[in-house]
Amino acid sequence: MREITYAEAVKEAMCQRMRDDKDVFILGEDIGIYGGAFGVTNGMLDEFGPERVRITPISEAAISGCAVGAAMMGMRPILELQFSDFIMIAMDNIVNQAAKMRYMFGGKAQVPTVIRLPGGSGAGFAAQHSQSLETWMTHIPGLIVVQPSNAYDAKGLMKTAIQNNNPVLYYEHKLLYNTKAEVPEEEYEIPLGVAEVKREGTDMTVVATGIMVSRTLEAAKELEKEGISVEVIDPRTLVPLDKETIIQSVKKTNRALVVYEAVERSGYGAEIASMIGESEAFDYLDAPVSRLGGIATPIPYNPTLEKAAVPQVENIIAKVKSVMNK
């Protein structure tokens, strides 16, 4: 099977859906000739033209409002925000309009839109362009939140997201764009709300999200050399969350750790930890459920400090050992 990058996988999914469905179109800042802030939409203007590759002014409020309106009228827009941090300027359209329209109109109105959100740290974009804010969106009923960790999942989840009749927030980590994986050319989809066991283990369950999946897998390889067997679970979608896969894993390993990039305080890991504690897996625990997230600071511009602000492989290894010792 061929290998392509995460960015190519996202683009391929969008192009395939646009070829199949004339109601699918993309809009956002610099997505045409420039190819988007991270080059994901490069070449799409040439294939689909300016009617379906809509280059917009620099106004997240205007872009999101246009997308929500188009979706309500039967189209399927894919909106790119250059950085996930900019979602704050579009919050009213997303939180008060897109998330609630289907409920307020008794199901007669639908808002099938995908909002692409490049996020995360590690690229040197500093405090206002490097945040991980996905937990904010998981708190809003009516929104679906997707966070692929590799190219294969990115394509399959994007194809599913575009077909969904609800607003989908699709988080793409900036450092993953150039990573490669085996991705089929043929049609495939990954259902929302289905986690994947990325690595089987017996001593501890580590639930990791986004870029932390690859770092946890690397940590698990090192820990195996010391006789610690780590099972790694990637939820893939935060809303809906596949609780059953996580619970069954914890019942097997008897220990659980949640690893995520966002600030640890009030991060999504707390939701997963609470879910485990309230489930039948609680009776199987040999140690308290633990979390590992970023420190409570704006993301620094300095590369060394930026790296220190969020979990790295060595931090995951240390945390796993700490939980094992409990």
Side-chain angles (χ1 to χ4, degrees):
M1 192 185 302
R2 68 187 179 149
E3 282 194 347
I4 63 173
T5 66
Y6 188 107
E8 290 169 332
V10 173
K11 174 185 173 181
E12 194 168 88
M14 293 190 294
C15 287
Q16 288 178 356
R17 283 287 183 250
M18 289 176 73
R19 293 175 192 132
D20 294 340
D21 186 347
K22 62 180 178 56
D23 290 328
V24 179
F25 72 100
I26 63 174
L27 71 164
E29 302 163 12
D30 294 327
I31 62 170
I33 298 173
Y34 187 66
F38 298 96
V40 177
T41 59
N42 189 37
M44 294 181 70
L45 178 63
D46 294 333
E47 178 174 356
F48 298 103
E51 288 295 312
R52 299 183 68 194
V53 179
R54 292 277 182 165
I55 305 166
T56 67
I58 303 175
S59 172
E60 285 74 20
I63 304 167
S64 57
C66 178
V68 172
M72 291 182 67
M73 295 303 295
M75 302 192 76
R76 293 185 177 273
I78 305 169
L79 160 61
E80 176 184 316
L81 297 183
Q82 287 192 335
F83 292 87
S84 66
D85 315 64
F86 300 167
I87 197 171
M88 293 173 243
I89 307 172
M91 287 291 270
D92 182 60
N93 287 323
I94 296 171
V95 174
N96 282 333
Q97 307 303 328
K100 297 175 174 59
M101 283 298 176
R102 195 168 187 179
Y103 170 78
M104 292 174 68
F105 286 87
K108 295 180 180 179
Q110 298 177 340
V111 190
T113 184
V114 176
I115 303 171
R116 294 184 45 237
L117 298 159
S121 66
F125 289 114
Q128 296 175 332
H129 299 73
S130 306
Q131 299 170 89
S132 299
L133 302 174
E134 58 275 359
T135 304
W136 286 14
M137 300 297 104
T138 65
H139 186 71
I140 307 301
L143 297 179
I144 292 171
V145 182
V146 177
Q147 196 172 28
S149 67
N150 60 76
Y152 178 87
D153 290 350
K155 180 180 177 180
L157 288 166
M158 175 59 79
K159 298 200 79 170
T160 304
I162 295 170
Q163 294 296 94
N164 197 280
N165 288 327
N166 299 288
V168 179
L169 303 186
Y170 189 93
Y171 282 89
E172 307 163 8
H173 198 287
K174 297 189 286 286
L175 293 188
L176 292 176
Y177 279 133
N178 291 324
T179 61
K180 290 186 175 182
E182 292 184 343
V183 179
E185 292 186 62
E186 61 268 19
E187 175 73 23
Y188 76 97
E189 298 179 3
I190 296 175
L192 304 177
V194 178
E196 183 176 35
V197 179
K198 298 293 188 185
R199 186 183 196 275
E200 293 190 356
T202 57
D203 295 328
M204 181 183 297
T205 297
V206 178
V207 183
T209 60
I211 197 170
M212 291 301 152
V213 175
S214 57
R215 292 180 188 174
T216 300
L217 288 170
E218 187 177 343
K221 289 181 181 179
E222 294 301 314
L223 289 161
E224 187 176 31
K225 298 174 184 177
E226 302 184 37
I228 300 174
S229 176
V230 175
E231 182 150 296
V232 181
I233 295 180
D234 178 2
R236 302 198 288 196
T237 60
L238 305 184
V239 178
L241 177 66
D242 181 357
K243 300 177 182 180
E244 190 59 29
T245 297
I246 298 171
I247 290 170
Q248 292 306 316
S249 176
V250 175
K251 288 169 69 174
K252 178 178 72 172
T253 65
N254 311 122
R255 289 179 175 85
L257 169 66
V258 190
V259 181
Y260 51 103
E261 180 174 354
V263 173
E264 185 173 295
R265 180 184 64 209
S266 301
Y268 194 70
E271 176 65 24
I272 296 176
S274 176
M275 181 275 293
I276 294 171
E278 294 175 348
S279 74
E280 64 267 28
F282 177 80
D283 292 334
Y284 292 79
L285 288 171
D286 290 336
V289 181
S290 192
R291 294 178 292 157
L292 177 62
I295 63 176
T297 181
I299 299 296
Y301 178 66
N302 177 281
T304 302
L305 295 178
E306 180 182 30
K307 187 175 180 181
V310 301
Q312 305 296 325
V313 174
E314 58 269 25
N315 305 122
I316 299 170
I317 292 173
K319 192 69 173 182
V320 168
K321 289 181 178 179
S322 173
V323 176
M324 289 295 297
N325 289 334
K326 291 179 182 179

